[in-house]
Amino acid sequence: MALIWRYLLRPDGSFSRVANIDGALDHVTDDELARTSDADGDDQPARPCSRCGTDLLLHWHGPLMTGVWMELCPACDAHKPAAGAFIRWHRDPQRSAARLPRLFEDWEDETMHTHGWARAPRTAPPPGPQARPGLTPRGRG
């Protein structure tokens, strides 16, 4: 099973991230994905930073089962490399959708690292069973 995130950037700078398992959403256009995503009602109310009380640019649940709540605060996080880059991107009215996946994932890695988590290295899937020469599945040969 291959999981690749599909990002959808809205004109106001908000975005959503959808799991694209085994390429199931490869044929879905961004417009179709936007209609589906908008119907989900995933708009979240503004939240203050838990560290300083400033309005957050973004708050996000960390990866499943970690229990981490990720906060992107312009006052607390601007000095961090990945968070600072994400903050600058977020404030740019000409923001590029192409940069969003890398910026988000770098920020996610940086934030999760501060909570003691690290992303597992990506490895190639194990090879499937090897067929022995001269043998075919039953009924096929």
Side-chain angles (χ1 to χ4, degrees):
M1 177 174 76
L3 171 81
I4 297 177
W5 291 108
R6 176 94 181 259
Y7 290 81
L8 176 66
L9 177 62
R10 295 179 192 91
D12 68 356
S14 65
F15 65 92
S16 57
R17 180 170 88 158
V18 180
N20 186 12
I21 299 172
D22 290 334
L25 298 175
D26 287 352
H27 69 284
V28 178
T29 68
D30 284 348
D31 289 338
E32 291 169 332
L33 192 59
R35 283 193 297 276
T36 302
S37 179
D38 290 342
D40 289 344
D42 61 358
D43 290 334
Q44 301 174 11
R47 292 177 63 121
C49 175
S50 64
R51 296 163 285 173
C52 73
T54 300
D55 288 341
L56 295 171
L57 291 177
L58 179 65
H59 52 97
W60 201 276
H61 289 283
L64 187 62
M65 306 299 282
T66 63
V68 174
W69 185 252
M70 298 173 22
E71 297 179 333
L72 184 63
C73 174
C76 296
D77 299 323
H79 68 282
K80 298 175 185 174
F86 199 23
I87 289 167
R88 287 187 298 279
W89 174 88
H90 199 276
R91 290 179 170 167
D92 181 2
Q94 302 300 318
R95 63 185 68 86
S96 164
R99 294 186 57 218
L100 175 58
R102 170 57 48 211
L103 289 167
F104 182 88
E105 290 171 18
D106 287 350
W107 170 65
E108 182 178 50
D109 287 348
E110 184 177 75
T111 302
M112 295 305 295
H113 182 75
T114 64
H115 291 277
W117 292 90
R119 190 180 300 271
R122 295 182 191 234
T123 59
Q130 300 269 329
R132 294 192 329 220
L135 296 178
T136 59
R138 285 188 178 194
R140 295 190 186 163

